[in-house]
Amino acid sequence: MQHRQQGERCALCERETLLTFHHLIPKKAHRRPRFRKRYDRATLASGIRICRLCHRGIHKLYDEIELAERFNTLASLRADEALSRHISWVSRQQPGKRL
């Protein structure tokens, strides 16, 4: 799902651009018993609105299970060194420019 609302910014790079929804616990992990036991339905469905470049970088660096186990909060995504470098690069990119 992608749409732009006036004044809406990426939760990671803070650019105002088209945003996508990123599940903090990827949908692939939702059917696994260890995640269903640990989290309620609302937590499994929770996520953040981020730009396509940030979203692509997250999934390029980490697989779904690692994201579900280690990076299931906005704070943990921001704290990761590799993601932080990627987010820093994204923040310098011109919104709307295709990369």
Side-chain angles (χ1 to χ4, degrees):
M1 181 178 181
Q2 218 186 62
H3 56 78
R4 184 176 184 177
Q5 295 178 355
Q6 196 67 7
E8 194 173 22
R9 296 185 175 278
C10 174
L12 293 173
C13 71
E14 300 181 356
R15 295 179 317 140
E16 188 173 333
T17 187
L18 292 174
L19 300 180
T20 62
F21 185 81
H22 171 71
H23 284 92
L24 290 170
I25 300 172
K27 291 181 83 172
K28 184 176 184 177
H30 291 194
R31 65 179 175 258
R32 295 181 181 246
R34 72 176 183 234
F35 294 103
R36 282 198 310 225
K37 289 177 188 175
R38 201 179 324 172
Y39 301 105
D40 64 15
R41 186 174 283 192
T43 304
L44 288 172
S46 66
I48 56 175
R49 302 220 1 104
I50 58 177
C51 70
R52 185 171 296 282
L53 288 177
C54 286
H55 207 161
R56 194 178 309 147
I58 289 170
H59 288 283
K60 187 174 182 177
L61 289 168
Y62 300 107
D63 66 30
E64 283 85 358
I65 299 305
E66 192 166 16
L67 289 171
E69 291 174 345
R70 293 184 47 211
F71 301 105
N72 55 22
T73 66
L74 179 57
S76 63
L77 289 169
R78 286 182 175 159
D80 182 66
E81 188 176 328
L83 279 173
S84 181
R85 283 193 305 271
H86 177 74
I87 293 164
S88 177
W89 173 80
V90 170
S91 69
R92 296 187 305 270
Q93 305 309 304
Q94 183 180 12
K97 184 177 179 182
R98 296 196 54 93
L99 298 175

